[in-house]
Amino acid sequence: MKKVTTTMLLTALFFLSKGQTEFLVTINPATGIHSIIDSLPGVNFILSDATAYDKNNKHFIFYGSDFFGSKRLFCVDAISGHIISQPLFSLNVSEFQYDHSSNTLYALYSNSTTGQLSLVSLDISTGANVQVAVLPVNGFIGGSTTFDEVNHDFIFKHSGSFYTINTVTGNITVTPATADYEQLQFDNNTGKLYGILTGTSIWIAEINSTT
């Protein structure tokens, strides 16, 4: 019997400096080789830590700007590379997380005057936002957020603590972090939280964010 191996592909954005061209690509995680789906005409710049993938509808969502300097919330069909929507969008947000159980996009909003953080939900087609909770912190480390779709919890780490915001109730739970974790990822199949633990060595750690 012939063994069949299925390789899962990652979807990502690829930048080519010549002509300032952005592409939507798939990446084979086993080889690191990318394949271009299509170019993204009109996209000039993409903000870091402001992308999400909607696996329900196979949409790649990101915050970027066009060649006229206007910031937009882009939504792209990950199969064809076609840009579905690109409303004007100037909110100071990052750390996109997509809740597939409710088909809702969330982000952290930083008030440009006070630095106060809030959790907001975003309407992908219009760019409109709704405040979910005001957070008792200013600033955060990029890559330190993740999402628990089972409990509808937005989780992020800031200054030695985990902040868990329930997106249904807006309740906030604060738990001390036992180590310096980065690049948080939540496994919604097993209900486990993982992160990179840095120090003299680099480790992948399983984390209990409630204790």
Side-chain angles (χ1 to χ4, degrees), residues 108-109 116-120 131-138 151-158 161-176 209-210:
L108 289 180
Y109 162 68
Q116 180 76 51
L117 279 185
S118 298
L119 179 65
V120 297
Q131 181 175 281
V132 176
V134 177
L135 308 179
V137 296
N138 291 4
N151 298 298
H152 304 283
D153 288 338
F154 188 104
I155 305 167
F156 78 102
K157 179 179 170 289
H158 172 77
S161 294
F162 287 107
Y163 292 79
T164 302
I165 307 98
N166 186 271
T167 57
V168 177
T169 64
N171 290 337
I172 303 171
T173 303
V174 183
T175 308
S209 63
T210 62

Side-chain angles (χ1 to χ4, degrees), residues 31-54:
T31 64
I33 297 174
H34 73 269
S35 299
I36 293 176
I37 297 173
D38 202 353
S39 62
L40 298 173
V43 179
N44 180 47
F45 183 76
I46 297 168
L47 279 71
S48 61
D49 297 319
T51 65
Y53 186 75
D54 169 8

Side-chain angles (χ1 to χ4, degrees), residues 92 109-116:
N92 187 23
Y109 162 68
S110 178
N111 185 296
S112 57
T113 302
T114 65
Q116 180 76 51

Side-chain angles (χ1 to χ4, degrees), residues 19-167:
Q20 192 78 20
T21 305
E22 304 280 357
F23 295 89
L24 185 68
V25 302
T26 58
I27 302 173
N28 186 322
T31 64
I33 297 174
H34 73 269
S35 299
I36 293 176
I37 297 173
D38 202 353
S39 62
L40 298 173
V43 179
N44 180 47
F45 183 76
I46 297 168
L47 279 71
S48 61
D49 297 319
T51 65
Y53 186 75
D54 169 8
K55 66 182 180 182
N56 292 339
N57 300 295
K58 296 181 175 55
H59 291 167
F60 196 100
I61 306 152
F62 63 93
Y63 189 8
S65 64
D66 58 27
F67 282 91
F68 298 98
S70 298
K71 293 181 179 179
R72 296 180 179 273
L73 183 61
F74 291 91
C75 179
V76 181
D77 186 316
I79 303 300
S80 67
H82 172 69
I83 297 177
I84 299 169
S85 60
Q86 48 179 314
L88 291 172
F89 187 72
S90 59
L91 205 64
N92 187 23
V93 296
S94 62
E95 297 296 329
F96 285 5
Q97 296 290 339
Y98 194 86
D99 183 357
H100 294 92
S101 60
S102 65
N103 282 310
T104 305
L105 177 65
Y106 295 97
L108 289 180
Y109 162 68
S110 178
N111 185 296
S112 57
T113 302
T114 65
Q116 180 76 51
L117 279 185
S118 298
L119 179 65
V120 297
S121 63
L122 300 175
D123 186 310
I124 299 169
S125 61
T126 66
N129 73 92
V130 176
Q131 181 175 281
V132 176
V134 177
L135 308 179
V137 296
N138 291 4
F140 61 96
I141 299 173
S144 60
T145 68
T146 190
F147 199 89
D148 171 1
E149 295 184 3
V150 177
N151 298 298
H152 304 283
D153 288 338
F154 188 104
I155 305 167
F156 78 102
K157 179 179 170 289
H158 172 77
S159 296
S161 294
F162 287 107
Y163 292 79
T164 302
I165 307 98
N166 186 271
T167 57

